[in-house]
Amino acid sequence: MNRNAVAVGLLVAGFALPAAAQVSGNVVKIGVLNDQSGVYADYGGKWSVEAAKMAVEDFGGKVLGAPIEIVNADHQNKPDIGSNIARQWFDVDGVDMISELTTSSVALAVQALAAEKHKVTITSGAVTSDLTGKACSPTGFHWAFDTHALAVGTGGALVDQGGDSWFFLTADYAFGYSLEEQTTKFVTSKGGKVLGSVRHPLNTTDFSSFLLQAQASGAKVVGLANAGLDTANAIKQAAEFGIVAGGQKLAGLLFTLAEVHGLGLEAAQGLVLTEDFYWDRNDESRAFAQRFFERTKRMPNSVQASEYSSVLQYLKAVQAAGTDDGDKVAAKLKELPVDDVFAHGGKVQADGRMVHDMYLFQVKAPAESTKPWDYYKLLATIPGDQAYLSPTESGCPATAKK
């Protein structure tokens, strides 16, 4: 071999080594931990794994000279299972960051564990605002919508439209409680009233008794403080009880494109909901969605687009920090602006909340839809500083006023 070529090769290798040496295990490993077989399998699921892989590919497949690896697992919506997987990933498998984390109880448990181990978590799937509130973490981040933003959007809009009395059907765990609580605050602050609520088990198939209570309440709006198949099943059964036909409105407080698609426009039409991404909003979102569709045969919802954004931003932060050390990467995540297909002009607050605009949509009637996946019409844009709590308002102990 030519001696000059050997010298150049050694020189290049010499420059590459210090950068790669800053990466633990010489690989940056990202874990996507979510529900892949249960009630939220379409909400995030394996489609979020594909979104994470797209982000890695778009970044170039390497960071600081080290390869990037995606691993994934199904936490089955159980905090103990999620925590055990996360502990194995951190302690044995060398995972640097865990993302998605559908189901608030799982996300809260894993974020707390990650803080102990100085590892980063970026949540896109769970929705409780406690993640950046009373349960905030120095290395924990919340990327997609939260209960406060959803309450501002859907709750506030319906009261403004005359829906000033509410009854809640609430999923019986942390996410449902938080969503009901936040929405109640907005309903009452605008002069509305909450006439009652009932809690249902996660992944129940029979909403009849709950819907009968909602119907008997006489509330103008039945707020569905649940998600995934629970919301879809409640909407289907509400139609059987004639709730909408009887004059009550249904508010999907957490309902995404994936669930609208599964339910169909005939059943979902007229539903008002809030998301932070819609595939058909502009040319950039359509181009991203087409690439996602080619891989998955479906259009991305907010959770999947947020997963793409969060993984991409994490890799930018690793690059900027010059290391995959969790504390140093977390510091960079709080410094770097967010500007991608999911969020333009996004910013990360000291409490870990990524602030970005939200969108209020109404589901189209079948006759209004002109092409596949043409499901939404935009009603309003909610600026990020209105949708999300500030660090001093969030209740995060690290950012509270002394």
Side-chain angles (χ1 to χ4, degrees):
M1 181 182 288
N2 182 284
R3 288 184 178 181
N4 288 335
V6 172
V8 170
L10 290 172
L11 187 62
V12 170
F15 277 116
L17 281 174
Q22 300 302 309
V23 174
S24 57
N26 294 320
V27 60
V28 172
K29 193 174 290 189
I30 297 167
V32 182
L33 183 59
N34 61 9
D35 176 7
Q36 298 181 14
S37 58
V39 67
Y40 301 137
D42 277 350
Y43 171 83
K46 61 184 179 181
W47 320 114
S48 285
V49 179
E50 286 302 312
K53 290 177 179 178
M54 284 177 66
V56 170
E57 292 165 14
D58 287 353
F59 193 81
K62 289 187 175 183
V63 59
L64 301 178
I68 305 161
E69 183 180 341
I70 297 288
V71 297
N72 72 91
D74 182 353
H75 59 45
Q76 301 174 47
N77 297 309
K78 297 178 180 177
D80 56 339
I81 292 177
S83 295
N84 288 338
I85 293 169
R87 192 177 298 278
Q88 167 78 20
W89 278 357
F90 288 148
D91 293 348
V92 179
D93 299 334
V95 168
D96 299 293
M97 186 271 276
I98 295 179
S99 64
E100 224 264 45
L101 291 169
T102 295
T103 310
S104 293
S105 54
V106 177
L108 288 164
V110 173
Q111 178 172 282
L113 175 65
E116 293 175 14
K117 298 181 177 295
H118 300 273
K119 298 284 189 176
V120 171
T121 56
I122 309 182
T123 299
S124 291
V127 188
T128 178
S129 57
D130 286 349
L131 285 162
T132 52
K134 63 184 180 182
C136 69
S137 152
T139 57
F141 298 86
H142 203 169
W143 220 250
F145 42 41
D146 64 17
T147 48
H148 186 271
L150 295 172
V152 172
T154 309
L158 284 174
V159 175
D160 288 342
Q161 293 173 10
D164 57 4
S165 62
W166 285 61
F167 186 96
F168 289 97
L169 267 65
T170 302
D172 193 11
Y173 72 105
F175 148 70
Y177 313 151
S178 181
L179 189 51
E180 179 185 333
E181 178 187 2
Q182 296 280 356
T183 307
T184 295
K185 287 180 182 178
F186 276 92
V187 169
T188 56
S189 71
K190 288 176 171 285
K193 297 179 293 183
V194 174
L195 304 183
S197 66
V198 63
R199 292 177 175 175
H200 68 79
L202 179 67
N203 203 18
T204 186
T205 57
D206 184 5
F207 283 88
S208 56
S209 65
F210 310 125
L211 289 165
L212 284 170
Q213 291 179 63
Q215 195 171 40
S217 75
K220 294 179 182 177
V221 179
V222 178
L224 303 175
N226 48 23
L229 288 177
D230 282 341
T231 308
N233 286 333
I235 292 171
K236 286 178 185 176
Q237 291 174 40
E240 295 170 8
F241 282 95
I243 284 180
V244 175
Q248 292 176 294
K249 287 186 177 180
L250 291 178
L253 297 173
L254 177 53
F255 210 56
T256 75
L257 189 79
E259 289 77 50
V260 172
H261 181 72
L263 192 57
L265 290 183
E266 188 64 42
Q269 61 182 306
L271 193 72
V272 176
L273 54 86
T274 304
E275 286 210 62
D276 34 19
F277 176 86
Y278 179 47
W279 75 270
D280 201 19
R281 205 172 68 81
N282 55 39
D283 289 343
E284 183 185 22
S285 61
R286 282 187 284 272
F288 170 77
Q290 185 57 44
R291 291 172 52 214
F292 186 87
F293 186 86
E294 288 169 0
R295 302 171 71 114
T296 64
K297 305 308 176 189
R298 62 194 293 121
M299 292 300 184
N301 66 1
S302 287
V303 174
Q304 292 137 15
S306 172
E307 176 67 9
Y308 170 87
S309 171
S310 67
V311 170
L312 193 63
Q313 193 74 5
Y314 172 75
L315 295 172
K316 291 176 183 177
V318 171
Q319 185 74 48
T323 177
D324 61 353
D325 175 85
D327 293 326
K328 293 178 180 177
V329 174
K332 285 298 178 183
L333 280 166
K334 292 173 183 175
E335 293 176 9
L336 297 175
V338 182
D339 192 31
D340 55 35
V341 69
F342 176 73
H344 288 293
K347 59 183 179 182
V348 179
Q349 298 181 152
D351 57 9
R353 172 71 260 174
M354 199 275 277
V355 174
H356 55 282
D357 290 349
M358 299 288 296
Y359 306 100
L360 184 69
F361 296 110
Q362 186 168 35
V363 178
K364 291 181 175 182
E368 297 175 292
S369 181
T370 60
K371 57 188 174 183
W373 295 88
D374 176 26
Y375 295 159
Y376 290 171
K377 50 188 174 186
L378 179 65
L379 299 181
T381 298
I382 305 157
D385 59 0
Q386 294 179 24
Y388 295 102
L389 294 167
S390 71
T392 53
E393 294 170 325
S394 70
C396 173
T399 60
K401 286 183 177 179
K402 304 298 183 185

